[in-house]
Amino acid sequence: MMSYIQGFLVAVPKANKQAYIESAKAASPIFKEYGAVRMVETWSEDIADGKVTDFKRAVKAEPDEAIVFSWIEWPDKQTCDAAGEKMETDARWSEMPEMPFDGKRMIWGGFEPIFDTQGEQGLAPGFATSA
């Protein structure tokens, strides 16, 4: 069975970086309880301006905002879907602090990995690793 990835892209005010980190840390154990394998949060370091589109335009980022790219890895889509249902009735979510970003500009989606050097498939034929 192949894992399932929920990916997220959001613009976060740079002044809210610590609040964002704390929010992610608070959510992580709940997602793990729901069956998440891991949760990864990244803070923009080098985001290029594109000629047609780019990460910044995708979320209508303002100059004082950083781009956050994050994902939650689930064992499968069914576990992810079940987690979504649990979130609707889990009172802990209503106790969380207000999101430190504009959630209306968040982009998210679900993805099935088609190549994963750490997953069950290993390296595809023809790919070599370096020592």
Side-chain angles (χ1 to χ4, degrees):
M1 188 176 295
M2 182 61 79
S3 63
Y4 184 76
I5 307 294
Q6 269 186 315
F8 307 89
L9 186 66
V10 67
V12 178
K14 293 174 185 173
N16 291 355
K17 183 176 183 178
Q18 192 57 42
Y20 185 87
I21 291 168
E22 294 304 318
S23 174
K25 285 181 177 180
S28 180
I30 301 171
F31 284 124
K32 193 164 201 145
E33 179 184 314
Y34 291 166
V37 175
R38 69 182 179 143
M39 186 170 137
V40 177
E41 301 287 339
T42 67
W43 192 264
S44 59
E45 183 68 29
D46 183 17
I47 304 291
D49 293 329
K51 292 183 180 178
V52 177
T53 190
D54 55 41
F55 280 109
K56 296 173 197 170
R57 284 186 257 187
V59 292
K60 297 183 179 181
E62 299 293 329
D64 67 333
E65 293 179 318
I67 303 300
V68 169
F69 173 57
S70 61
W71 67 92
I72 302 173
E73 181 179 349
W74 300 94
D76 50 50
K77 186 175 186 315
Q78 294 75 20
T79 304
C80 177
D81 291 346
E85 291 176 18
K86 291 175 186 173
M87 286 180 68
E88 293 179 21
T89 59
D90 191 332
R92 292 176 289 181
W93 294 109
S94 63
E95 298 166 3
M96 291 285 208
E98 187 175 329
M99 291 188 302
F101 58 88
D102 179 3
K104 292 181 216 157
R105 294 184 285 143
M106 181 181 356
I107 298 171
W108 69 92
F111 301 86
E112 178 183 320
I114 57 173
F115 178 77
D116 182 351
T117 61
Q118 298 298 315
E120 298 172 13
Q121 294 178 358
L123 289 175
F127 282 81
T129 60
S130 57

